[in-house]
Each structure stands twice: as structure tokens, then as C-alpha cells.
Amino acid sequence: LSSSFSIPSNAITKSTLTKQLRELENDGWINRQIYQEIPPRVEYTLTELAESFVPILEQMKEWSETHLC
């Protein structure tokens, strides 16, 4: 699973985003790759644990579209 995205600046504070990403990393859901570039760049990818959860999320989405929308 690969995607690239940006978050609107008014959607979440940088400190909140950083905290959430660190929690996801500590819990084993994402990997963080830091690139020593100017300006600094960081990429996040899903771990095998997170990848294994994607089908469950897709089923939950399908169920909600059928029953809640």
C-alpha cells in the first residue's frame, strides 16, 4: 500500500500530528524513514500489522455504506 498525501494546515496542529504518528509508530502500525536532506523529509509506511488490518477496514467501510448511508 503506497500513497502520498498532505494534510490541510488547519486540519490538525503539527504537535498533535507528531504525537499521533509517534503513538502509531510505538504501537507497531507505521514505520518512519528519516531522510537527511535539506529541507528534512520523513516518510511513513504501514507495517505488516497495519497491512493485515486493511481488509478489515475495507469490510467495515462496505458495511457502513450499506447500513448507515
Side-chain angles (χ1 to χ4, degrees):
L1 183 66
S2 176
S3 74
S4 185
F5 65 94
S6 62
I7 297 172
S9 61
N10 63 347
I12 187 171
T13 65
K14 288 183 182 183
S15 62
T16 299
L17 177 60
T18 299
K19 180 182 175 198
Q20 291 298 310
L21 289 169
R22 285 187 181 148
E23 286 180 16
L24 288 167
E25 182 182 17
N26 289 336
D27 291 342
W29 289 94
I30 61 173
N31 295 310
R32 178 174 53 153
Q33 174 68 44
I34 302 169
Y35 295 90
Q36 301 299 322
E37 300 174 350
I38 304 293
R41 179 171 58 108
V42 178
E43 289 185 358
Y44 294 90
T45 57
L46 297 179
T47 62
E48 286 186 35
L49 172 67
E51 291 279 357
S52 72
F53 195 66
V54 169
I56 296 166
L57 292 174
E58 290 171 342
Q59 288 179 334
M60 291 173 67
K61 177 182 176 280
E62 289 175 22
W63 183 91
S64 69
E65 289 173 345
T66 301
H67 295 90
L68 301 176
C69 294

